[in-house]
Amino acid sequence: MQRMIDLIRKSAVSATIMQAAARGALAVPPEEVIEILVHLANHNKVFGAQARMTLAGWDEKSSLAAAANAKTSAEVLRYLSAEENLRPKLLPALLENPSVPEEGLVKLARTGSREIVAAMKASARVKTSPKVWRSLQENPNFSLPVGFDANAPDSSAATTVNENAGLDKPASEAEVPDSALDTEGEDGGTSEQVEQAASVDDLDGYVSAFMQEHAQEIAAEGEKPFQPIGGAEGLAGPPAAEPVSTLAGSASAAAQPAQTHKAAFHPHARPQDSARRDSTLQKIAKLDIKGRIQLAMKGNKEERSILIRDGTKIVALAVLDSPKVTDGEVEGFASQKNVLEAVLRGIPMKRRYAKLYPVVRNLVFNPRTPLDLSLGLMKNLLVNDLKNLSSNKEVSDTIRKLAMKMFKQKLDAGKKKGD
C-alpha cells in the first residue's frame, strides 16, 4: 500500500485532500504529516503558503522528534534547518542529528543570527568539526563580550551568558517555557531590575562589547541617518506628536516651527515637556549610528522610547540590549506597531523577556508580529486571552481561527479536570 506522501508527490489525490494535507489534517503518522507539509511548502504553488504556516505552528513534540531522528527525510531536515524556517527549540536536535549534512551547518554557521551562533557554540558536533567551527568564526555575530574566551571551542564561556549584560541565552533556551511565565508585569519594571540598572557603573563596557560584536553590521549601515519607523508621528508620545519636519530638516531650523504646531494641536501639552522632547529629537537627529547605539544603551527611558523605532536595525536592537531597559518598557515595545520586525523577533529570544506573560501576550496580539512567531507563542496564552484573540479583527484570520481552536481545547481540558 502506497503512503500518502507518495500519492501527493504524484498529484494522484484530489484538491480537497491536498487542502487538508496543507492544514496538517490528514490521518497519517506525525512524521509523514511533516514530510507532506515540507513537500507542499517546497513544491506546491497553490497550497505551499498554507503548508508553511502550518509548519510554523506545528506541534513542538512532533517537530522535535523529526529534527532528532536520523531517519527523517533529507528534504525535511533541510527545510527545518534552513535559517528562514528555523525554530529555536529544534536547533540543538538538528545540530546533533548526523543526517543533517555538514554543508548545511556550514552555511548556517556563516550567516546565522546571534542566537543561532550561541546554540552552535554549545553543540558537541560543531566543536568537533573544524570546517563548521571555522565558518562560525567568520560569522560577524561570533565575537564574544569582554571577558569571554573566544579561542577555545570547548570553553564553557562560549555557552554561558551574562544575563546582566543583556546578552542572550542559547537559542534552545530562548523559547517561552510554560511554567516560567510571569503574569505580574509592572510599567516600570521590577525593583530588582531598577536596582540592577542603577548599579551598572561601567556602561562603556557594555557599549564596547556590543560595538565589537556587531562591527560588520555597523560598518555596512554607513552613515544612515535617524529615520523612525512609521514617520515622526507619535514620537513625542502623549500628549503631543512630533511633526515630520522636526526630523527631516536641520535641528535648529525645525525646532521653532515644531513647537508652534504642537501648541496649536495640543493645547493641554505642558511647554516644558514639549521643549524637552524637541531637544531630545534634535540630539538624536544629529547623531551617527555609533552615537545612537551609545545613547540606546546608556540613555534614559525617553531616549530609548524614540530609538526603539529607529529604522536602522542595529540601533533598535541596541535598546533591547541596554542594561537599563526595564520589563515595563519591553512590554510596551511588544505591543508597538511602528517598530522593525527584527525588534519583535528579538524580544522573545531573550530569556529575561520570554518569561514575562504580558510581553508574550502583547506580541501575539500585535498584528505586526510575524505570523510564525505568533503561532509559536500562542500556546502560552491563558484561556480568556485566547477567547479575546479569536475575535480580534486586527490579527490575521489564521491567528483568530487557531485561537478559537485552542480556546475550546483548553476549555474542554479544564472541564475534564473539574469532573
Side-chain angles (χ1 to χ4, degrees):
M1 183 178 177
Q2 281 190 311
R3 294 193 309 158
M4 181 60 71
I5 178 63
D6 296 325
L7 295 173
I8 288 175
R9 285 191 181 117
K10 296 175 182 177
S11 299
V13 296
S14 67
T16 303
I17 292 179
M18 293 283 275
Q19 187 175 38
R23 290 187 283 107
L26 295 181
V28 297
E31 60 273 16
E32 188 175 350
V33 173
I34 293 179
E35 195 172 354
I36 290 170
L37 288 169
V38 169
H39 173 77
L40 293 176
N42 287 337
H43 306 293
N44 194 291
K45 294 181 180 180
V46 178
F47 300 108
Q50 175 63 60
R52 285 188 288 274
M53 285 194 293
T54 303
L55 279 166
W58 194 245
D59 174 65
E60 188 177 280
K61 185 177 179 180
S62 298
S63 300
L64 193 56
N69 191 346
K71 295 182 180 179
T72 299
S73 76
E75 184 178 26
V76 170
L77 292 176
R78 280 196 301 271
Y79 184 92
L80 295 178
S81 60
E83 189 174 358
E84 63 271 19
N85 306 320
L86 190 61
R87 291 169 64 175
K89 195 73 173 179
L90 308 184
L91 183 53
L94 289 165
L95 291 174
E96 305 308 326
N97 188 334
S99 294
V100 175
E102 191 176 63
E103 291 71 21
L105 297 185
V106 167
K107 181 179 179 182
L108 198 62
R110 188 175 291 123
T111 63
S113 66
R114 200 160 39 133
E115 293 74 31
I116 290 173
V117 169
M120 295 190 82
K121 286 177 180 177
S123 166
R125 181 182 179 187
V126 171
K127 292 175 186 178
T128 56
S129 171
K131 189 175 180 181
V132 179
W133 186 256
R134 281 197 300 271
S135 298
L136 193 62
Q137 290 179 307
E138 295 172 7
N139 190 310
N141 293 313
F142 179 84
S143 300
L144 293 170
V146 175
F148 279 28
D149 182 3
N151 296 318
D154 59 348
S155 170
S156 60
T159 59
T160 303
V161 183
N162 184 346
E163 285 188 358
N164 291 339
L167 296 169
D168 299 336
K169 287 281 184 183
S172 60
E173 296 179 23
E175 229 174 70
V176 183
D178 294 334
S179 60
L181 291 173
D182 179 5
T183 58
E184 300 295 330
E186 296 181 11
D187 290 340
T190 64
S191 58
E192 182 183 348
Q193 291 169 297
V194 174
E195 182 180 345
Q196 178 192 51
S199 67
V200 177
D201 297 321
D202 189 13
L203 286 170
D204 288 337
Y206 293 98
V207 176
S208 176
F210 188 89
M211 294 281 197
Q212 181 183 358
E213 186 175 356
H214 300 280
Q216 291 190 17
E217 296 169 70
I218 293 169
E221 294 291 354
E223 298 300 321
K224 190 174 179 181
F226 173 61
Q227 295 176 332
I229 299 298
E233 183 182 356
L235 273 177
E242 279 303 314
V244 175
S245 60
T246 307
L247 298 174
S250 68
S252 58
Q256 191 170 1
Q259 292 172 5
T260 304
H261 286 305
K262 283 168 68 177
F265 287 106
H266 303 281
H268 301 296
R270 292 183 296 176
Q272 62 269 32
D273 290 345
S274 300
R276 185 180 70 246
R277 178 58 62 130
D278 285 340
S279 175
T280 302
L281 288 168
Q282 290 166 23
K283 176 171 71 173
I284 291 173
K286 293 177 181 178
L287 295 173
D288 61 8
I289 287 178
K290 289 185 178 179
R292 300 203 302 277
I293 289 173
Q294 289 197 48
L295 191 63
M297 300 190 76
K298 298 166 66 175
N300 58 36
K301 181 178 180 180
E302 180 185 42
E303 291 159 345
R304 290 193 295 274
S305 71
I306 295 173
L307 289 169
I308 195 68
R309 286 183 52 192
D310 199 311
T312 303
K313 182 175 74 170
I314 196 63
V315 176
L317 292 179
V319 174
L320 298 181
D321 266 26
S322 170
K324 298 177 69 176
V325 71
T326 65
D327 292 350
E329 288 177 78
V330 177
E331 185 180 336
F333 300 157
S335 64
Q336 285 187 220
K337 301 173 187 175
N338 49 5
V339 294
L340 288 170
E341 180 181 300
V343 170
L344 300 176
R345 286 192 180 277
I347 290 173
M349 295 304 296
K350 295 184 179 295
R351 197 169 179 228
R352 167 183 163 188
Y353 308 136
K355 294 189 292 185
L356 299 172
Y357 183 80
V359 170
V360 174
R361 180 188 58 212
N362 286 357
L363 282 169
V364 178
F365 274 77
N366 188 343
R368 186 167 172 78
T369 300
L371 181 63
D372 63 314
L373 180 58
S374 293
L375 290 171
L377 294 174
M378 283 178 66
K379 66 180 185 295
N380 301 292
L381 294 187
L382 299 175
V383 173
N384 287 340
D385 283 325
L386 285 170
K387 183 180 180 182
N388 293 333
L389 184 63
S390 68
S391 59
N392 187 336
K393 296 297 178 63
E394 289 192 335
V395 300
S396 72
D397 187 53
T398 301
I399 294 291
R400 291 200 304 273
K401 288 180 178 178
L402 183 57
M404 178 55 71
K405 180 181 177 181
M406 294 175 70
F407 166 70
K408 290 178 179 178
Q409 288 174 343
K410 289 195 175 186
L411 205 60
D412 291 341
K415 288 179 181 178
K416 288 178 181 178
K417 285 183 180 179
D419 291 340

